[in-house]
Amino acid sequence: MNSVEPWSDPGRVERYRSRVFAERARLRAAFTDPAGHQRRVLEDLLAFNADTAYGRAHGFASVRTLDDWRKAVPVQDYNGLAPWIERAAAGEANVLTADKPAVFFTSSGSTGAHKKIPVTPRFMRTTFFPFYYAAWAPLIEHFPDVLARPDAVLNLKHDPIAAPPVTASGRPHVGASQVDFGSRFGEPLSAEPGTGAPWATLPVAVDAGAHLDKMYLRLRMAVESDVRCVIGINPAMVAALPYQLNLWWPRILKDIRDGTLDGHPGLLPNPQRALELQQLTRCHATIRPAHIWPNMRALFCWTTGLASLYLPRLREEFGPGVALLPAPVAASEGPVGVALDRHRSAGSLVVTASVYEFADADTDLTPDTPTLWPHELEPGRDYHAIFSHVGGLYRYAVGDVVRVVDREDGVPRLEYTGRNTLSDAAGERLRDAHVLRALTAALAGGGLELRNAACRVRRDGRGAPAYEFALAPHTPWTDDETDRFLGRLDRALGDESPGYRRARAERRLGAPTALRLPADAFARDWQESVAAGIRPTQVKDRLFRQDPAQWRRLTGRTPE
């Protein structure tokens, strides 16, 4: 099986560019017949997996149409498929797919529990790689210099692991960013931008679970390079970088001057670079990425959800001309949308990857929830995303809610709006998207900005439950600004959710309150989560934080 082509290999960049643009062209060509491609995806997964245990139990052999598919298989989440997945993870063959899973991707759901997502060679060829390559097209088309040198990209999510944890059958159970797709799936061009940088494979041994140590060493090495692009996918990782620069600055300077890696020998001393960086300290009270990397061109990460509140200001920390390019609307389980141009938030439905269904986001998902096909979606509406693909996930509700932004080239363009988690203390049925849109409206009404936000239902026994918001303002707010903001927020939540409006009118729900936190509160909270052993890619922005320990760590206050 072929290994990954190194970025230093002559001609590698051109071969990579050709593959990326070819996959984008193929996907755009598929948009001329999206319904036909959806039928063909279904026919392929049925033919390939009809004789599996799951296929026999659900009558794959007798399914002929998309409507037959709806009747044969229930809508289900991970818990519904978990017994089948566990059988496959234990080594039983032919359970969900005719292909043997080569790895199991790990994914943290809203509960933080680690899923096991089966990943087969057939899934990678037909579902994963086409969208995966196409996703890089806007970056390398408009910012070709990011591929000029292996160290031009700081890829924060790349985290190779020498001895991965395994399932009962001995298959690796790792994050997608920890898999060598070249050796595992025979894709020599699959290494992402930034994976050939000197810090991609650390020159010193670091414990696999010492995530902050690894982040420090990569950042310390990257500070010596002319970085042009930062790839994070999870925007919380990108947001943490300016905080880490200042937190670790004296340590970084000493290491660069001495040629050490966290005090240990390993690199050549670079007193000239250390002096240049020291001079920045004399000029700037706060060190920003733009000071370190003046040629920064682009950030590549998710741009919606809570990140939409802080990314405009965060982008400025990396440079006034830096572009924000959206990562795909996707999860470990599979893709939904991929940006094929420089749209700031939305991606086109990957019609060649899965059979896609959608359900109104305000409905509760049940096994027989009515669903819509892609051509039935309406711009400006929110939907549960449900997909089926050859890798063994069938009518799978991934737990994400997407919003239809528009239609481009005949297919819907979608943006991620949050998880499908409901907060429902008094019939208000609030989703992430409701609260985010309300926050955005309330902020705009007063010209205010936030670095991040979270909320919980406060129950103190003295009255009706009420929402308490933890807010990290970009600049300090006065008491009057905060009170006016809360009034606007209360009205905006009522506009977004009829249930919230009724609960407030009937006094079953109290008025929202706010805790104003320091500007770096969420960065510190993120850092502490990673220090506790959670992989950085899995420490994501979470709006609803009902867990008392999480709230106490973020705010420093113990909930009632």
Side-chain angles (χ1 to χ4, degrees), residues 219 306 387 486 502:
L219 182 57
L306 277 165
F387 52 69
L486 287 171
R502 286 192 298 270

Side-chain angles (χ1 to χ4, degrees), residues 117-178:
I117 309 303
V119 182
T120 67
R122 181 66 177 272
F123 162 80
M124 295 297 287
R125 287 195 305 274
T126 63
T127 300
F128 184 87
F129 283 128
F131 105 87
Y132 171 76
Y133 283 110
W136 301 109
L139 175 65
I140 67 172
E141 179 175 44
H142 298 288
F143 306 100
D145 54 329
V146 304
L147 298 184
R149 306 181 329 275
D151 65 341
V153 176
L154 175 55
N155 190 323
L156 298 175
K157 77 183 187 71
H158 180 62
D159 186 27
I161 184 169
V166 296
T167 65
S169 61
R171 299 295 184 185
H173 181 209
V174 292
S177 59
Q178 296 179 303

Side-chain angles (χ1 to χ4, degrees), residues 269-481:
N270 193 347
Q272 180 60 39
R273 180 59 170 161
L275 180 60
E276 293 171 1
L277 296 172
Q278 185 66 51
Q279 289 171 342
L280 291 176
T281 308
R282 299 190 185 103
C283 299
H284 306 283
T286 300
I287 300 299
R288 306 189 189 284
H291 303 147
I292 308 299
W293 302 302
N295 296 313
M296 184 68 68
R297 305 291 306 282
L299 304 177
F300 187 88
C301 62
W302 294 318
T303 60
T304 58
L306 277 165
S308 64
L309 299 179
Y310 61 75
L311 275 176
R313 286 292 187 180
L314 179 66
R315 181 187 64 80
E316 292 176 0
E317 298 222 15
F318 287 83
V322 170
L324 278 173
L325 298 176
V329 183
S332 299
E333 293 92 331
V336 178
V338 61
L340 303 179
D341 54 25
R342 285 185 281 181
H343 193 283
R344 293 199 171 192
S345 64
S348 299
L349 187 69
V350 191
V351 296
T352 57
S354 302
V355 177
Y356 292 102
E357 300 173 66
F358 300 86
D360 186 286
D362 287 325
T363 63
D364 293 325
L365 288 176
T366 63
D368 57 355
T369 292
T371 59
L372 300 170
W373 300 120
H375 69 275
E376 298 175 298
L377 302 184
E378 299 176 31
R381 296 279 303 275
D382 293 351
Y383 298 95
H384 297 285
I386 301 164
F387 52 69
S388 308
H389 59 61
V390 74
L393 300 185
Y394 306 117
R395 304 200 75 203
Y396 182 82
V398 71
D400 291 340
V401 173
V402 296
R403 188 172 186 84
V404 180
V405 172
D406 58 17
R407 286 183 176 273
E408 179 81 0
D409 298 327
V411 299
R413 287 202 294 189
L414 311 163
E415 65 179 22
Y416 171 78
T417 65
R419 298 290 292 168
N420 64 3
T421 308
L422 277 177
S423 183
D424 194 16
E428 70 275 18
R429 294 177 59 83
L430 287 178
R431 292 185 283 107
D432 281 3
H434 294 144
V435 180
L436 283 166
R437 287 196 286 266
L439 282 169
T440 301
L443 290 166
L448 302 174
E449 296 178 84
L450 286 174
R451 287 180 179 262
N452 216 322
C455 66
R456 72 177 184 105
V457 177
R458 190 186 71 249
R459 304 175 189 268
D460 57 17
R462 297 191 295 269
Y467 280 85
E468 182 176 43
F469 284 81
L471 308 171
H474 180 69
T475 57
W477 294 2
T478 66
D479 291 343
D480 180 65
E481 284 179 319

Side-chain angles (χ1 to χ4, degrees), residues 195-211:
T195 56
W199 52 82
T201 302
L202 292 171
V204 293
V206 182
D207 184 79
H211 302 300

Side-chain angles (χ1 to χ4, degrees), residues 5-82:
E5 289 187 15
W7 282 99
S8 57
D9 186 14
R12 202 265 192 205
V13 169
E14 241 359 271
R15 289 191 292 275
Y16 182 76
R17 287 172 57 87
S18 296
R19 177 69 184 273
V20 164
F21 294 143
E23 293 293 359
R24 180 174 67 174
R26 274 191 281 272
L27 183 54
R28 280 181 167 160
F31 294 162
T32 61
D33 183 22
H37 279 281
Q38 289 288 276
R39 288 194 300 272
R40 286 188 280 278
V41 171
L42 178 62
E43 290 166 359
D44 180 60
L45 76 84
L46 289 171
F48 191 71
N49 293 325
D51 198 36
T52 61
Y54 191 92
R56 292 191 299 272
H58 292 84
F60 281 16
S62 62
V63 173
R64 296 291 180 269
T65 67
L66 290 166
D67 285 333
D68 290 345
W69 180 243
R70 280 172 166 163
K71 296 171 186 174
V73 178
V75 174
Q76 56 203 325
D77 59 12
Y78 182 82
N79 290 333
L81 279 173

